[in-house]
Amino acid sequence: MNTPLPVTLADIRAAEARIRGRVRHTPLMVDPRLSGVLLKQEYRQETGAFKLRGATNAILSLSADELARGVVTASTGNHGRALAHGARACGARAVVCLSHLVPANKVQAIRDLGAEVRVVGQSQDEAMAEVARAVAEEGLIEVPPFDHPAVVAGQGTLGLELLADCAAPSSVLIPLSGGGLAAGVAAAVRSLSPSTRLVGVTMARGAAMAASLAAGQPVEVPELPTLADSLGGGIGLGNRVTFAMCRALLDDVVLVSEDEIAEAMRHIRAATGDAVEGAAAVGVAAILSGRVKPGPATVCILSGANVAPETFARIL
């Protein structure tokens, strides 16, 4: 008998109702340069990334007493920004723990939303250790960046939205990091369009979920500098939600190189006129590199646009 997944279509539909009016329905555009490819412009969210969905759903799921205690998270940037945005809207205190690998533009964007920023260590794991301390000693409520049912359900609303605009895509290419986006989108799409192929795409440098899926259990990997910095960090050896969902729902995992990510960033700029971050470009990178052959309706989720201007200028 199959073990029930921790996040269901019903959970995702409930999240959709909860966050309605607080997130944008982002465009799904035809890539003018790649036949059969559709670009889900999720980077057009108010905070520049998909993370607003999960963070908003998680915050709205808290009780008044929990909100009064304040929230804390570890982040590679985009989740922290989303949590800061959601907490400010609810009048709650937010503390965001980041490693020194997080780009300065993302750190400043979090501060600009009124959150308290703590920069510690050289990895996501070290930032998460600071979260654990804040929870134990300061009584803050943790809202994890990915391994939490409410966060995954919120990210899954992107899957529902995608299917509203393209009912039966041949495949969906999803940026893969801790697995919150991949798990949520895959749960929604698998439930409503079972024939759609679901592919997680990530960078070759320090891909923790890819290594964990290959090993059959969560494992640690060194966190390395990469253009896809939003995909960095571990998945947690005690992962409760996303590892099992990614293992059950993803049809394949594809790794792309730094040069391939850079080329995809340039392609997306030419196709859309927009600058996206490396993490958002991995699906297009998989197609341009020939690692994925697009079908008649292949959707690439462009997950965020919070790229440092100097980084993008160097890529161009």
Side-chain angles (χ1 to χ4, degrees):
M1 181 186 234
N2 292 333
T3 303
L5 294 177
V7 176
T8 67
L9 179 61
D11 296 323
I12 297 170
R13 290 199 188 281
E16 182 183 44
R18 191 175 291 118
I19 69 175
R20 187 173 296 130
R22 295 174 181 264
V23 301
R24 295 172 179 168
H25 185 125
T26 54
L28 183 66
M29 68 166 281
V30 173
D31 188 315
R33 296 171 165 231
L34 290 173
S35 178
V37 175
L38 302 170
L39 305 176
K40 177 62 170 169
Q41 296 173 284
E42 184 62 13
Y43 59 85
R44 294 196 175 183
Q45 285 296 348
E46 185 174 353
T47 57
F50 75 94
K51 290 285 192 177
L52 189 60
R53 297 174 184 270
T56 300
N57 187 53
I59 288 174
L60 294 177
S61 299
L62 297 176
S63 68
D65 288 343
E66 288 171 324
L67 276 177
R69 290 166 60 183
V71 294
V72 63
T73 195
S75 175
T76 53
N78 288 337
H79 173 68
R81 186 172 179 177
L83 190 73
H85 181 279
R88 185 170 72 170
C90 294
R93 177 190 178 199
V95 176
V96 180
C97 303
L98 310 163
S99 83
H100 286 281
L101 291 179
V102 176
N105 68 303
K106 293 187 176 183
V107 177
Q108 188 58 48
I110 294 168
R111 285 199 176 103
D112 289 344
L113 287 168
E116 177 186 336
V117 173
R118 299 179 185 177
V119 181
V120 292
Q122 297 297 323
S123 72
Q124 177 83 337
D125 289 339
E126 290 179 89
M128 291 176 75
E130 174 61 19
V131 170
R133 190 203 64 75
V135 170
E137 298 180 13
E138 301 175 44
L140 297 171
I141 300 297
E142 182 181 4
V143 179
F146 53 86
D147 194 37
H148 188 285
V151 172
V152 172
Q155 317 306 21
T157 64
L158 193 157
L160 297 182
E161 187 176 291
L162 184 159
L163 293 176
D165 295 335
C166 179
S170 49
S171 57
V172 178
L173 307 188
I174 315 167
L176 179 63
S177 178
L181 179 64
V185 170
V189 175
R190 179 69 75 224
S191 297
L192 298 172
S193 182
S195 64
T196 297
R197 184 168 176 79
L198 297 163
V199 181
V201 190
T202 190
M203 71 287 182
R205 293 172 59 85
M209 181 62 83
S212 297
L213 292 171
Q217 63 184 18
V219 297
E220 293 180 343
V221 299
E223 189 171 346
L224 302 171
T226 171
L227 284 175
D229 55 87
S230 294
L231 302 184
I235 70 166
L237 295 181
N239 188 288
R240 299 178 299 113
V241 178
T242 59
F243 174 76
M245 293 187 69
C246 287
R247 180 172 58 180
L249 296 171
L250 293 179
D251 295 302
D252 197 8
V253 172
V254 173
L255 305 182
V256 292
S257 72
E258 295 299 299
D259 286 345
E260 289 162 351
I261 294 170
E263 178 60 28
M265 292 170 73
R266 290 189 287 268
H267 172 94
I268 292 166
R269 174 58 178 264
T272 68
D274 297 325
V276 303
E277 56 192 86
V282 292
V284 172
I287 293 172
L288 292 176
S289 67
R291 300 179 197 279
V292 172
K293 184 177 180 180
T298 296
V299 176
C300 292
I301 296 175
L302 308 185
S303 52
N306 296 321
V307 58
E310 61 273 17
T311 298
F312 195 75
R314 176 169 52 85
I315 294 302
L316 288 182

